[in-house]
């Protein structure tokens, strides 16, 4: 359940000019301490907020909002309270905090901390019994070492333990089938209904109200803002509305005119009869919560019984528009709307697996079971944020109990303070492309997320279907060259080309790779990197987002929104940053001024477009031109020799300088040429319309035959950009980081009159952390990203991006580490449980004088 980071790396114009005396001082969260010298006669209650849904997310959000002073909160629930019949009512409550996603882990950690502090009638809302994930195959055991690395990276206690230790922790196990486990002592059971009630009581004490049996029938709006929620029992005026309706989220979204990419699916859960081995038990649970992921199963105690959940069965999609309300469900004989009849035929294979792992089950039967409905999205992440087309309407959907309080805290901060204190770009409702929002796509990929919940997933592993969805105009030529495609944002992206396989023989041998790092990799990538460094290569850059910003106020608008100086003559290209009010990096952009009032912006995610549209003044037009255009990167020392004969314009260094743009023709094709390089070599990005894309490719390919031109993929691209130290937003930095921490201070012009985030940067002090380049000591070693980094034997940070640097003959890894680690400092990276030595290096690692780009 991870998401792919945004892909566009950005080239520092000069790595050696980054100021070192800046970092972000955290902005205050919530409200200033109250002055108790005299109690206010009538304290302000904040805006009117209506939360739709009183499950664990809605209750948590009401608690978080009222704790921040927004006490005019109404929570509407169609069912009875405190158990309204949604997913919260039947959730088994297992909380495993560790995830490949740092954001989800932070959500889960806060949820554990908060629920552990809550109790109802003397009963804690969290039962900390620990967690145990089992391996019954060598592949799973290796994956548990990888998960232990995530835990160390994200600050969760955990360790890989032996078979004997697994048996000690869970005596009912058949140790003969277990190879080892991953033990997390701080995980456990969330008592979801108790936690909802505890937070409901706290929010009510601060002024919130919770109304049961109110079915939402409409969302009123005026001038693009939400104004009220209409129910079958009256309307409720609102300045903000939050949909926390769970698997009913698409229904509420439709009332607001918003598509919510969420697919509910049914999931089997069963309880055994009492077990003699557990007789006499009085506690709800004493053993760790257990995962048998090799068979898509999990287990927990229910006093003297065992509860078992299964993801091993076929996906069982549920139409959210056909889910009955609470009373209707009861009338149909259902216990609650989120509980479907148990499908015994799906259970049988899992029951055999359960009995194999836990021999004590061989003498018992299932006493009761049901199929509970949960929410899945196309990428397995929550859907959070405010809708731009309906201001004040927020989503907090596809959230499991594990992450509920953490999500509520982030959304409350977002609403009250203007931003969450943690990076949430993986969860932002704007992250899906238009092509990824169809009901068919949501259903298909949501169902696949169910299938893959417990699968061992490689970070580069693409979904299988629906593909191909989006292709560049060069797709047919790429297929002819034997492109190996991966997928991102719906786009087919070549990672290497089998046509270049003969070039591998000239490399003189490459280090052997382990099975994990060899997946979705080919030695052909090394040949393509070498060809780029020595000759010239064509890169398909079409999937990178392009925006057109026009109008008489375009310059002033973009200059105010970004950190660098855009007040340059037409033809200039500027690398700049979108910051938030705290100085955090929301995105990085390249902005080309093509005419006095026309700009082409190279952006990252759909969130960039959303942000700019939210703030664009009257008269400024912003248009996403990605789908109607295409781009080829022509890079390498022979790039000029390739393009110059195709045009009458001067492409010399003097005639066409670095970070300049020009509209011209290459052969018969009109292009916008930008002299940029994301691989550290001479070259251009060449843009044209989609209808002329194939002609542009063929023109360049034919012209390059005498120069040894190759088509090169993203695997080589990533290696080359890391050798040069070019950052990728979403992977190397997010809004949790400032430009000066991330080594991007050169893109900040503090002498500008004003820009978003400037005041926060002026208040900042010396950074306590920095994005730091590391070189692995062993020429044959490789890491992939998200691994923990240790200094002096203690956890010090984590890897963001990594790739083998074929020019350098070493793997390059960038990591967030404490500031002040001098060049040459020895560290080690933990890779599948092994300590891999590495050394802090100076950047850029390749061509520090920028000679190759500027020739």
């Amino acid at each position: 359940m991870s998401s792919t980071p945004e892909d566009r790396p950005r080239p520092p114009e000069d790595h050696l000019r980054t100021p070192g005396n800046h970092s972000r001082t955290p902005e205050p969260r919530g409200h200033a301490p109250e002055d108790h010298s005299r109690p206010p006669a009538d304290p302000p209650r904040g805006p009117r907020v209506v939360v739709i849904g009183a499950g664990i997310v809605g209750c948590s959000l009401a608690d978080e909002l009222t704790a921040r002073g927004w006490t005019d909160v109404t929570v509407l629930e169609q069912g009875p309270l405190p158990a309204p019949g949604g997913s919260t009512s039947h959730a088994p409550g297992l909380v495993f905090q560790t995830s490949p996603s740092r954001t989800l882990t932070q959500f889960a950690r806060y949820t554990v901390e908060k629920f552990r502090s809550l109790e109802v009638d003397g009963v804690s809302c969290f039962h900390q019994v620990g967690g145990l994930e089992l391996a019954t195959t060598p592949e799973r055991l290796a994956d548990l070492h990888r998960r232990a690395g995530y835990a160390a990276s994200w600050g969760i206690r955990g360790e890989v333990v032996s078979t004997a230790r697994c048996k000690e922790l869970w005596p009912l196990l058949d140790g003969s089938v277990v190879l080892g486990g991953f033990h997390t002592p701080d995980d456990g059971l969330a008592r979801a209904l108790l936690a909802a009630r505890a937070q409901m009581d706290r929010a009510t004490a601060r002024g919130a109200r919770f109304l049961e049996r109110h079915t939402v029938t409409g969302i009123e709006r005026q001038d693009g803002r939400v104004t009220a929620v209409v129910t079958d029992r009256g309307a409720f005026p609102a300045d903000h509305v939050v949909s926390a309706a769970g698997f009913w989220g698409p229904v509420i979204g439709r009332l607001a005119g918003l598509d919510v990419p969420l697919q509910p699916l049914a999931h089997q859960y069963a309880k055994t009869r009492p077990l003699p081995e557990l007789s006499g038990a009085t506690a709800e649970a004493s053993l760790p919560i257990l995962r048998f992921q090799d068979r898509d199963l999990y287990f927990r105690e229910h006093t003297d019984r065992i509860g078992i959940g299964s993801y091993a069965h076929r996906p069982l999609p549920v139409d959210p528009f056909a889910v009955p309300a609470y009373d209707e469900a009861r009338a149909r004989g259902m216990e609650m709307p989120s509980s479907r009849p148990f499908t015994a035929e799906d259970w049988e294979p899992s029951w055999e697996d359960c009995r194999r792992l836990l021999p004590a089950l061989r003498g018992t039967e299932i006493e009761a079971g049901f199929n509970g409905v949960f929410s899945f999205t196309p990428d397995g992440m929550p859907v959070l944020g405010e809708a731009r087309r309906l201001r004040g309407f927020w989503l907090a959907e596809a959230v499991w109990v594990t992450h509920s309080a953490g999500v509520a805290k982030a959304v409350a901060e977002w609403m009250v303070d203007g931003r969450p204190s943690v990076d949430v770009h993986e969860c932002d409702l704007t992250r899906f492309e238009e092509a990824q929002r169809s009901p068919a796509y949501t259903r298909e990929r949501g169902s696949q997320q169910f299938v893959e919940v417990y699968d061992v997933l490689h970070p580069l592993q693409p979904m299988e279907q629906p593909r191909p969805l989006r292709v560049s105009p060069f797709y047919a030529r790429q297929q002819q060259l034997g492109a190996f495609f991966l997928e991102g944002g719906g786009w087919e992206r070549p990672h290497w080309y089998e046509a270049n396989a003969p070039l591998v023989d000239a490399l003189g041998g490459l280090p052997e790779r382990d099975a994990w790092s060899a997946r979705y990799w080919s030695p052909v990538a090394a040949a393509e990197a070498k060809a780029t460094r020595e000759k010239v290569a064509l890169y398909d850059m079409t999937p990178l987002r392009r925006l057109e910003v026009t109008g008489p106020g375009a310059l002033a608008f973009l200059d105010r929104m970004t950190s660098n100086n855009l007040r340059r003559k037409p033809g200039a290209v500027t690398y700049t940053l979108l910051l938030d009010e705290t100085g955090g990096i929301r995105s990085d952009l390249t902005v080309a001024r093509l005419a006095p009032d026309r700009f082409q912006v190279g952006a990252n995610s759909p969130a960039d477009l959303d942000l700019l549209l939210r703030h664009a003044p009257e008269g400024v037009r912003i248009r996403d031109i990605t789908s109607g255009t295409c781009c080829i990167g022509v890079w390498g020392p022979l790039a000029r020799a390739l393009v110059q004969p195709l045009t009458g314009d001067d492409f010399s260094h003097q005639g066409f300088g670095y970070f300049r743009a020009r509209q011209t023709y290459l052969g018969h094709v009109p292009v916008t040429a930008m002299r940029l390089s994301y691989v550290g070599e001479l070259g251009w990005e060449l843009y044209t319309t989609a209808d002329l894309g194939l002609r542009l490719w063929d023109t360049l390919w034919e012209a390059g035959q005498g120069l040894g031109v190759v088509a090169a993929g993203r695997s080589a691209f990533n290696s080359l950009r890391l050798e040069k130290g070019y950052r990728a937003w979403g992977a190397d930095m997010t809004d949790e980081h400032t430009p000066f921490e991330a080594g991007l201070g050169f893109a900040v012009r503090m002498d500008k009159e004003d820009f978003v985030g400037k005041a926060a940067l002026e208040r900042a002090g010396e950074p306590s952390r920095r994005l730091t380049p590391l070189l692995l000591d062993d020429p044959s070693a490789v890491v992939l990203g998200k691994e923990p980094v240790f200094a002096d034997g203690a956890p010090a940070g984590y890897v963001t991006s990594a790739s083998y640097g074929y020019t350098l003959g070493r793997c390059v890894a960038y990591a967030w580490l404490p500031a002040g680690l001098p060049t040459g400092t020895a560290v080690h990276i933990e890779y599948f449980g092994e300590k891999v030595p590495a050394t802090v290096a100076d950047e850029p690692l390749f061509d520090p004088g920028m000679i190759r780009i500027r020739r």
Side-chain angles (χ1 to χ4, degrees):
M1 297 183 47
S2 61
S3 67
T4 304
E6 301 304 332
D7 292 308
R8 190 177 187 103
R10 303 301 188 186
E13 297 175 32
D14 187 345
H15 285 76
L16 306 179
R17 296 181 182 174
T18 302
N21 192 33
H22 298 79
S23 73
R24 174 174 49 183
T25 301
E27 294 291 298
R29 297 283 176 256
H31 292 259
E34 296 180 25
D35 181 4
H36 296 285
S37 59
R38 54 180 182 179
D42 191 11
R45 301 191 65 207
R48 297 167 299 179
V49 180
V50 174
V51 178
I52 301 172
I56 189 61
V57 178
C59 292
S60 297
L61 181 58
D63 183 47
E64 295 288 338
L65 284 171
T66 56
R68 287 166 173 78
W70 283 22
T71 57
D72 191 350
V73 175
T74 300
V75 182
L76 303 175
E77 174 53 57
Q78 68 171 347
L81 293 174
S87 299
T88 302
S89 301
H90 66 71
L94 285 75
V95 175
F96 288 89
Q97 297 173 80
T98 304
S99 166
S101 166
R102 180 171 175 268
T103 298
L104 288 186
T105 301
Q106 288 175 301
F107 287 162
R109 180 165 53 196
Y110 181 78
T111 301
V112 168
E113 292 171 355
K114 184 175 187 181
F115 287 5
R116 200 164 50 196
S117 71
L118 299 175
E119 60 179 46
V120 175
D121 298 331
V123 179
S124 173
C125 294
F126 189 78
H127 189 21
Q128 190 174 311
V129 293
L132 181 63
E133 302 180 42
L134 301 176
T136 60
T137 64
E139 293 78 15
R140 180 67 64 178
L141 184 59
D143 188 60
L144 294 186
H145 280 286
R146 186 166 65 108
R147 289 182 62 76
Y150 293 145
S153 290
W154 315 145
I156 302 296
R157 288 201 302 158
E159 63 173 337
V160 176
V161 297
S162 66
T163 301
R165 178 60 176 149
C166 291
K167 181 73 173 173
E168 289 177 12
L169 292 166
W170 250 83
L172 301 184
L173 290 173
D174 180 353
S176 68
V177 301
V178 176
L179 301 182
F182 175 46
H183 180 224
T184 46
D186 298 326
D187 290 340
L189 293 165
R191 297 183 172 108
L193 285 177
L194 279 187
R197 180 180 156 192
Q199 294 177 101
M200 187 186 308
D201 290 346
R202 295 194 339 170
T204 300
R206 300 187 192 110
R209 57 178 177 167
F210 290 76
L211 303 178
E212 63 180 9
R213 300 194 180 279
H214 281 65
T215 299
V216 174
T217 59
I219 306 292
E220 292 186 350
R221 69 203 80 174
Q222 184 176 351
D223 299 327
R225 284 204 63 90
V226 67
T227 59
V229 176
V230 182
T231 75
D232 58 350
R233 300 175 67 176
F236 295 82
D239 303 301
H240 294 274
V241 174
V242 185
S243 176
F247 53 75
W248 281 291
V251 179
I252 302 301
R254 180 173 292 182
L255 295 176
L258 186 70
D259 292 328
V260 179
L262 181 160
Q263 175 61 56
L265 288 109
H267 158 62
Q268 290 196 311
Y269 192 79
K271 290 182 184 178
T272 68
R273 297 183 186 278
L275 297 181
E277 292 82 355
L278 299 179
S279 63
T282 57
E284 176 189 5
S286 58
L287 303 177
I289 53 177
L290 185 69
R291 274 176 168 170
F292 181 20
Q293 291 159 294
D294 287 323
R295 289 294 182 269
D296 296 312
L297 294 165
Y298 62 82
F299 305 83
R300 58 155 295 182
E301 297 167 279
H302 292 278
T303 313
D304 60 352
R305 295 163 169 81
I306 298 292
I308 307 164
S310 172
Y311 293 101
H313 56 84
R314 61 195 166 92
L316 299 168
V318 174
D319 181 359
F321 295 91
V323 177
Y326 185 91
D327 291 332
E328 183 183 351
R330 299 285 286 183
R332 293 185 191 179
M334 301 167 62
E335 183 178 349
M336 62 185 78
S338 59
S339 177
R340 297 300 176 98
F342 193 65
T343 50
E345 67 276 12
D346 292 312
W347 178 254
E348 286 306 316
S350 291
W351 185 229
E352 291 306 312
D353 290 329
C354 294
R355 290 173 159 181
R356 180 168 63 92
L357 181 70
L358 304 174
L361 300 183
R362 296 170 188 169
T364 190
E365 297 296 334
I366 295 300
E367 184 175 67
F370 67 97
N371 288 2
V373 182
F374 289 91
S375 300
F376 290 80
T377 59
D379 60 3
M381 300 293 286
V383 181
L384 312 177
E386 183 190 27
R388 176 175 50 82
R389 289 189 174 91
L390 183 57
R391 301 293 181 88
F393 185 83
W394 297 77
L395 294 179
E397 298 291 10
V399 182
W400 292 9
V401 171
T402 297
H403 311 113
S404 55
V407 163
K409 176 175 180 282
V411 174
E413 290 171 336
W414 210 340
M415 296 173 70
V416 175
D417 304 328
R419 70 179 295 275
S421 58
V422 299
D423 165 47
V424 295
H425 84 272
E426 295 176 311
C427 312
D428 195 304
L429 64 87
T430 64
R431 70 187 182 273
F432 296 110
E433 303 282 350
E434 191 66 28
Q436 297 175 300
R437 304 187 70 93
S438 70
Y441 186 96
T442 299
R443 179 185 176 95
E444 187 167 357
R445 292 221 164 178
S447 297
Q448 188 63 21
Q449 286 295 330
F450 178 92
V451 171
E452 294 178 349
V453 160
Y454 283 164
D455 285 3
V456 178
L457 298 177
H458 193 278
L460 293 177
Q461 183 170 332
M463 301 275 291
E464 295 295 329
Q465 295 295 334
R467 290 180 63 193
L469 184 61
R470 307 174 78 187
V471 298
S472 79
F474 326 127
Y475 184 64
R477 298 293 184 264
Q478 292 165 344
Q479 289 179 304
Q480 292 167 4
L481 293 169
F484 180 86
F485 293 98
L486 297 182
E487 179 267 349
W491 288 100
E492 294 297 316
R493 303 183 176 190
H495 272 243
W496 66 83
Y497 295 84
E498 287 299 327
N500 296 324
L503 303 177
V504 174
D505 294 338
L507 296 176
L510 290 170
E512 290 292 325
R513 288 205 171 202
D514 64 276
W516 187 252
S517 65
R519 291 184 66 183
Y520 305 105
W521 173 84
S522 168
V524 173
E528 293 174 0
K530 179 180 174 66
T532 307
R533 290 278 187 243
E534 296 181 354
K535 294 183 180 179
V536 62
L538 307 185
Y539 288 83
D540 181 1
M541 307 300 287
T542 300
L544 303 184
R545 185 169 305 278
R546 292 172 291 284
L547 310 177
E548 182 183 70
V549 182
T550 57
L555 173 60
F557 166 63
L558 289 173
D559 200 50
R560 170 73 176 83
M561 291 294 296
T562 65
S563 63
N564 212 334
N565 177 28
L566 301 187
R567 296 183 180 277
R568 303 166 65 190
K569 294 179 180 180
V573 182
T574 305
Y575 174 72
T576 188
L577 306 172
L578 282 173
L579 306 179
D580 63 26
E581 294 291 348
T582 72
I585 304 171
R586 295 191 63 157
S587 188
D588 60 347
L589 313 173
T590 52
V591 180
R593 191 177 189 186
L594 302 180
D597 296 330
R598 182 163 68 92
F599 296 81
Q600 181 170 310
V601 178
N604 284 298
S605 74
D608 296 346
L609 174 61
D610 184 83
L611 175 67
L612 293 174
L613 285 171
R614 285 175 184 269
H615 292 88
E618 189 74 25
V620 173
R621 184 185 182 203
I622 304 172
R623 190 165 63 99
D624 190 332
I625 60 172
T626 309
S627 297
T629 56
C630 59
C631 178
I632 300 175
V634 182
W635 291 312
L638 301 182
R640 183 174 289 115
L642 192 157
V643 298
Q644 183 63 83
L646 299 173
T647 179
D649 285 335
D650 184 1
F651 270 57
S652 69
H653 181 61
Q654 294 74 23
F656 198 150
Y658 190 51
F659 267 77
R660 299 292 299 172
R662 173 180 297 167
Q663 293 177 299
T664 184
Y665 289 86
L666 295 182
H668 297 93
V669 182
V671 300
T672 299
M674 298 186 196
R675 190 169 167 200
L676 308 175
S677 175
Y678 298 107
V679 298
E681 296 291 338
L682 171 69
W684 288 264
E685 288 184 354
L686 303 173
Y687 298 89
T688 193
T689 52
D691 60 320
L692 290 167
L694 191 59
R695 183 60 178 262
L696 176 62
W697 179 281
D698 288 345
T699 298
L700 295 168
W701 187 256
E702 181 179 351
Q705 289 308 298
L707 302 172
V709 69
V710 302
R714 297 190 64 83
S715 186
F717 176 92
N718 199 46
S719 170
L720 296 169
R721 70 100 178 168
L722 280 170
E723 288 185 329
K724 197 63 182 161
Y726 295 163
R727 279 70 164 139
W729 186 86
D732 297 317
M733 73 276 192
T734 68
D735 63 5
E736 291 188 12
H737 310 108
T738 70
F740 303 107
E741 293 172 328
L744 297 176
F746 67 88
V748 178
R749 291 292 178 262
M750 297 299 293
D751 56 353
K752 279 175 59 171
E753 181 176 349
D754 195 19
F755 58 87
V756 175
K758 179 182 178 181
L761 295 181
E762 288 176 332
R763 294 192 300 268
E766 184 70 23
S768 61
R769 60 183 176 180
R770 289 191 188 278
L771 187 61
T772 305
L774 304 175
L775 279 176
L776 275 58
D777 295 351
D778 183 350
S780 64
V782 173
V783 298
L784 299 181
K786 299 188 178 182
E787 297 88 357
V789 181
F790 294 77
D792 295 326
Y798 59 92
V799 174
T800 59
S801 296
S803 181
Y804 198 85
Y806 301 110
T807 316
L808 302 173
R810 292 283 193 283
C811 183
V812 179
Y814 271 78
W816 281 105
L817 293 173
L821 291 181
T823 300
T825 299
V827 298
H828 79 260
I829 302 170
E830 189 173 291
Y831 180 72
F832 286 93
E834 299 293 327
K835 294 182 178 180
V836 180
T839 302
V840 173
D842 277 331
E843 64 172 339
L845 303 168
F846 176 78
D847 187 25
M850 306 285 282
I851 296 170
R852 299 174 71 92
I853 289 178
R854 299 179 184 275
R855 56 189 169 186

